[in-house]
Amino acid sequence: MPADDYKVTVVSETVLSLGLKPGKSWPLQTSETSLYLTEYRDDARGSENLLEDDAVPVATVIETPTVMHGGSKVIYMTGSKQFNINGTGFRAKDVTLVFDPPLERDADYILSTKSSTCLILTLKTGRKWRSDGNPGPLKLRRIDTGAGQLRIDAQYGGVLVAEVQVDLGPHGVTVESTPEQKVYQSQKKLSVQGHGFNTTLALNTLKWGNSLRGKGLNYTMTSASSSRLDLELEPGSKWRAQPTNLPGPLILLAVNAGAGLVPVGPTEAKKGRVVATVFEDPAITPNFGLTVYQTHTHELWLSGRGFTRGSANTELTFEPALTMGIDYVLMVWNRTHVLMSLLDGRKWSPTPGVLRVTSIDTGAGPFRDFTPVVVANVASDADFSATGLSVVRSTSQTLYQTAAVKQLTITGTELCPDARLEFSPPLGRDAYDVASAKPTELKLALKPGKKWRSEGGVLSVIAVECAERVELAYGQGIAVATILPDPTIVASERRIYATYTKKLVVTGSGFSLQGTELDVDPTPLTSYDVYSVETTEVTLSLKDGQSWIPDRPAAKKEDESLGSIVVTKIDTGAGEVLIDNVVVAKVYPDPEGAVCDDSCEWALDGVCDEETNQGMRSWFDDDFGGLYAYDDDYYGGFGYYYDDADDFLAPVCVPGTDCTDCGAAHKGPDDVEDQIECSNSCQWANDGYCDDTRTSGLCALGTDCHDCGPASAGNYTTWDDDGWWDDDAAYWDDDDLVENYFEYDDDAKPGPPLPKTVGVIKSTPNPKHPILEEQEGIGGIFMIVLEAIVVGIGATMCTIGSWFAYRYYKGEKLPFDFNPPREDDEEAWGRKKFVSGPAEITPDVTYSGGGGK
């Protein structure tokens, strides 16, 4: 930088001030350039360079931002939910805007930097674009991209970025959430409830959370009133296309009733309104070749698609008639398989013949397009043997694999004490003892260290040999017991609060979907309900007004545990099994003054909608399996300046109002932002650098927990990423994109914030980047394989080189010569000497006849 571009002023013995001269500029080679002081000379002390060290960085020069005039851009006071500001020099971090009238970031709007030339502003729910509520111009007066607030067009009081107008009547359109409206994928009709719709059919346009398009592409709007829109699906289309994500909500994001698209839910999170719950079109695969016996066959597997369980269970109608709960029980294994188990004393059919399924209901009513299918051929039971020996089917008898709670009882006729039993799956005679024997009953006791079955399932007797071997049910066998997997509980040190934590997840194995009971201590059974049961997970829900640890003295400190939750007994259907007091959680007192309830409109939806969970929300797309298919022009036209906000999601609830989904996250009701102890709500959380107020201050204290540690105990170093970006300005987005370095489970349920004792990145003088600290996922596997290949090639080359060196040292002949013959040594190369002169030319084409050559 030439010396005549600036003026030096000595402010004090320790401070020099450099003032830029008019018409000059600080040097800028890229979008961000470090300015180094390389020489310092004082005429009074000679002309030599007085800098003791090498060049010293004294400043970072960034591009001067500019803002484009909004022109004729019009937005509505609350109807327009988003608009963009164009210009130059915008940065991913450190952007601050000052408006006239004043607007407060994160209170009135959310700012997202799409690129260096585009800023996207999203209006928060319940706010206005002009704080005074009056229509008029919205001006940007100052902008700060990291080098201080810069006045924008000060001569005119700022740059006009938009003209704010009063909301039009159609901006008042609303939509009711109707998840109770259940439809199948290809069901013909669907209705949308609300008010403010345009009674002129053609003036209504709907914007969905997936790729549904109206106007005859996917569906047609058949009728419209001020409170209802009726839709009819086009042939070959579906309300939601991806069956693996069903049952699932059909989300309506916005409605255009004549004045532009109006969002019907909180736009900053794109939650929209659930207008229906969509179920997969069910079907059952025919099975003409399957034979079952009237009573001896215990289980019948059905395959197909669209099967559901839980609150929307699968119901089937059979011919001949079978009644659920009386003749059989049904378990949905997954969306493509169900298992039917015949109850004791019942028959698949009163007479031999064909068993058909005539209708199916997976949650949205009987499926109208279902065609009856044959699922089995019912055969007569096997005749008794001439000796009169028989075995009675008994599937209601349940036993654990190893737990010696009960003995196995086999009932029948003409049974002998020394009967040889053949089981399916095979069970050796050395696995059990005959505890008692009668002609009508055998009782077997399992020996220590043995199992009735290697895994859960039905235990059948396929043959009994007394005087002679009698094969049962033509070799298929007769079920005598249902063996349940041994239940286990996994110990956990998870941290929960006494009353603010509403759900406790207990993990293990062998849990029964049909019913699992747990005894936990010291929480009484009257204080909680079993919320859900999976094969490896049981969720307990605390009742209102109850505590996980009742009648315990309060801890002296918030970090002092009130006690532990232990599991003492478990029953998955075959009797109670004692558990050796496995600890599944530690209970801590509720944070003092904590505010935690479920008053948020979107509470209890399984997704944390508070500020404590910002950036950790994801939506499954029914068409692509990824993010919802939001258009780049999300609210384009009609004054809605949405522009490519596909990757932007934000909190929509006040902190502390989505307690069940988020947990108790705050220390007190006031000044919540400064009192958050530990969360990852910072926009740049999980990027390997601490970004809260203890370092750069880009985020609030305690909101970058992964990188900084809890607010009261840091685990970070003073190394900052921003100071080392002199040569990688083009990689800003990659530097702070969390998904590049971490993988998240979309189905994971959000829980309470990390405890104070948890720190992910430990203090170190030279911290590693998270991708090097923890190589997991596909990227980590690729790097490991790549390293192995490089090391393997290097080892191979070293081995070959060592072998050649050894042979050369011993004077042995090598497969090549270090001194090859000269190029002109024809004999050595084994080549014939070339004799110059004319040579006979062979034509490429020959002709017959005419003497042609």
Side-chain angles (χ1 to χ4, degrees), residues 624-638:
F624 309 109
L627 289 176
Y628 266 109
Y630 296 124
D631 287 345
D632 290 345
D633 186 18
Y634 177 62
Y635 280 103
F638 301 98

Side-chain angles (χ1 to χ4, degrees), residues 418-449:
D418 57 347
R420 296 186 60 184
L421 305 173
E422 296 181 24
F423 291 92
S424 176
L427 181 66
R429 182 62 181 83
D430 59 342
Y432 61 89
D433 293 320
V434 178
S436 64
K438 299 178 183 178
T440 57
E441 180 184 87
L442 295 177
K443 287 191 174 183
L444 310 181
L446 190 66
K447 291 183 178 180

Side-chain angles (χ1 to χ4, degrees), residues 838-842:
E840 183 179 357
I841 298 177
T842 303

Side-chain angles (χ1 to χ4, degrees), residues 680-732:
N680 286 302
S681 58
C682 169
Q683 183 178 355
W684 295 281
N686 301 323
D687 69 349
Y689 301 95
C690 178
D691 288 306
D692 73 4
T693 54
R694 288 170 284 181
T695 56
S696 62
L698 295 174
C699 302
L701 177 65
T703 60
D704 190 8
C705 186
H706 183 281
D707 301 326
C708 305
S712 60
N715 63 355
Y716 63 95
T717 72
T718 57
W719 291 85
D720 184 18
D721 54 347
D722 297 344
W724 302 93
W725 284 358
D726 304 325
D727 60 345
D728 65 346
Y731 299 95
W732 275 45

Side-chain angles (χ1 to χ4, degrees), residues 201-526:
L201 190 66
L203 295 182
N204 293 294
T205 304
L206 306 181
K207 184 71 176 181
W208 301 90
N210 59 350
S211 60
L212 275 178
R213 300 290 184 269
K215 300 179 180 179
L217 296 178
N218 301 111
Y219 66 91
T220 302
M221 195 175 298
T222 57
S223 65
S225 67
S226 61
S227 60
R228 173 170 171 158
L229 301 176
D230 292 322
L231 314 179
E232 185 170 309
L233 197 65
E234 291 295 314
S237 298
K238 295 182 179 179
W239 297 115
R240 288 191 58 170
Q242 183 58 261
T244 56
N245 294 332
L246 301 180
L250 180 62
I251 298 177
L252 179 61
L253 298 176
V255 176
N256 180 359
L261 286 164
V262 177
V264 295
T267 313
E268 61 266 35
K270 297 183 180 177
K271 293 183 74 72
R273 296 288 178 178
V274 178
V275 298
T277 302
V278 182
F279 291 74
E280 181 182 4
D281 291 344
I284 293 180
T285 304
N287 197 343
F288 298 97
L290 178 64
T291 299
V292 298
Y293 294 97
Q294 288 175 291
T295 64
H296 290 169
T297 301
H298 166 55
E299 296 177 340
L300 174 60
W301 282 95
L302 303 181
S303 62
R305 67 169 186 265
F307 304 134
T308 59
R309 64 185 182 193
S311 59
N313 207 350
T314 297
E315 297 181 3
L316 304 174
T317 303
F318 291 90
E319 181 186 328
L322 291 173
T323 305
M324 174 77 170
I326 297 177
D327 297 311
Y328 70 95
V329 293
L330 183 144
M331 177 184 292
V332 176
W333 203 256
N334 52 37
R335 56 175 286 269
T336 60
H337 287 82
V338 296
L339 175 63
M340 297 177 60
S341 300
L342 192 66
L343 295 176
D344 293 344
R346 314 304 296 183
K347 294 182 180 181
W348 291 114
S349 174
T351 59
V354 173
L355 181 64
R356 291 184 177 88
V357 176
T358 57
S359 71
I360 181 171
D361 179 0
T362 60
F367 186 53
R368 295 183 179 180
D369 296 332
F370 183 79
T371 302
V373 295
V374 176
V375 293
N377 294 304
V378 182
S380 175
D381 289 337
D383 295 331
F384 290 157
S385 65
T387 61
L389 186 148
S390 67
V391 171
V392 177
R393 191 173 152 278
S394 176
T395 56
S396 59
Q397 179 179 205
T398 55
L399 299 158
Y400 292 117
Q401 288 175 282
T402 60
V405 179
K406 296 182 291 187
Q407 295 178 339
L408 173 62
T409 301
I410 299 176
T411 58
T413 58
E414 301 297 329
L415 299 175
C416 57
D418 57 347
R420 296 186 60 184
L421 305 173
E422 296 181 24
F423 291 92
S424 176
L427 181 66
R429 182 62 181 83
D430 59 342
Y432 61 89
D433 293 320
V434 178
S436 64
K438 299 178 183 178
T440 57
E441 180 184 87
L442 295 177
K443 287 191 174 183
L444 310 181
L446 190 66
K447 291 183 178 180
K450 301 296 183 178
K451 292 183 178 182
W452 292 116
R453 277 189 59 142
S454 59
E455 57 186 17
V458 174
L459 182 65
S460 301
V461 177
I462 59 176
V464 179
E465 183 176 349
C466 285
E468 62 181 42
R469 183 178 183 275
V470 177
E471 194 174 78
L472 305 177
Y474 301 111
Q476 279 195 358
I478 296 177
V480 294
T482 300
I483 308 301
L484 303 180
D486 291 335
T488 62
I489 300 294
V490 176
S492 173
E493 294 291 325
R494 73 175 71 235
R495 177 188 179 122
I496 64 174
Y497 295 112
T499 63
Y500 287 143
T501 300
K502 300 301 182 182
K503 293 179 182 178
L504 171 61
V505 177
V506 179
T507 58
S509 63
F511 302 148
S512 173
L513 301 178
Q514 295 177 332
T516 296
E517 296 181 2
L518 296 176
D519 283 0
V520 296
D521 183 65
T523 313
L525 289 171
T526 55

Side-chain angles (χ1 to χ4, degrees), residues 103-123:
L103 290 176
E104 184 179 349
R105 181 176 177 177
D106 295 331
D108 297 311
Y109 67 93
I110 296 172
L111 178 64
S112 175
T113 304
K114 176 186 175 183
S115 67
S116 62
T117 60
C118 181
L119 299 176
I120 298 177
L121 281 72
T122 302
L123 188 67

